[in-house]
Amino acid sequence: MRRSHYLLSFMLSRLVFLLFEVAAVVVFARLRLWFTVAGVRGLSLSLIVLLGGFTFSGIGLLVAARPTTIEGVSGLMNFIMLPMWLLSETFFSSERFPQIFQPFIKALPLTALNHTAASRDERRAPLWANWNPRSDIAGVAAYQLCCCAKIFRWQ
């Protein structure tokens, strides 16, 4: 089996599970929070979820590429994901952080994904309105897949 086939199969299997996870969240939001997704907005939500799924699957593969133990992978994942959870406007605005941190916060993939989702939901911007965050996310995902094919430990 070629390396790229194995890595792509991992990412695609993760995306299958992601569909069920997102469906559960959207159904809950619809029933309890009266959140609606319809028409082209549903398509844009699907594309944003797909792009985010590829990106974060790539992060997971890169982190798991070299460590030999589960504990090592877990520690590295926490080291990489915790700053994104805290700084990427998931829970509160990044404007509250000092100005010196702003370039780092803007470079995080979750920040770009959150801005993409926010422009879709809050400003009702079409998917093609602002390609900068989307192209950043797509570039990160493609780069990660290429790096994983080179550095992944196959034993």
Side-chain angles (χ1 to χ4, degrees), residues 115-152:
H115 287 177
T116 300
S119 69
R120 178 202 162 274
D121 288 333
E122 295 170 3
R123 296 181 281 282
R124 301 209 186 268
L127 190 60
W128 58 86
N130 186 5
W131 277 102
N132 287 339
R134 289 168 200 84
S135 63
D136 291 347
I137 298 170
V140 165
Y143 180 72
Q144 289 168 347
L145 186 59
C146 292
C147 286
C148 286
K150 296 286 183 200
I151 69 169
F152 199 81

Side-chain angles (χ1 to χ4, degrees), residues 20-57:
F20 293 113
E21 293 170 7
V22 170
V25 170
V26 170
V27 166
F28 175 79
R30 174 71 178 137
L31 294 176
R32 292 308 226 174
L33 305 173
W34 302 281
F35 177 79
T36 59
V37 177
V40 176
R41 291 190 46 201
L43 176 65
S44 67
L45 176 64
S46 300
L47 292 174
I48 291 168
V49 166
L50 185 69
L51 195 57
F54 272 121
T55 301
F56 292 107
S57 290

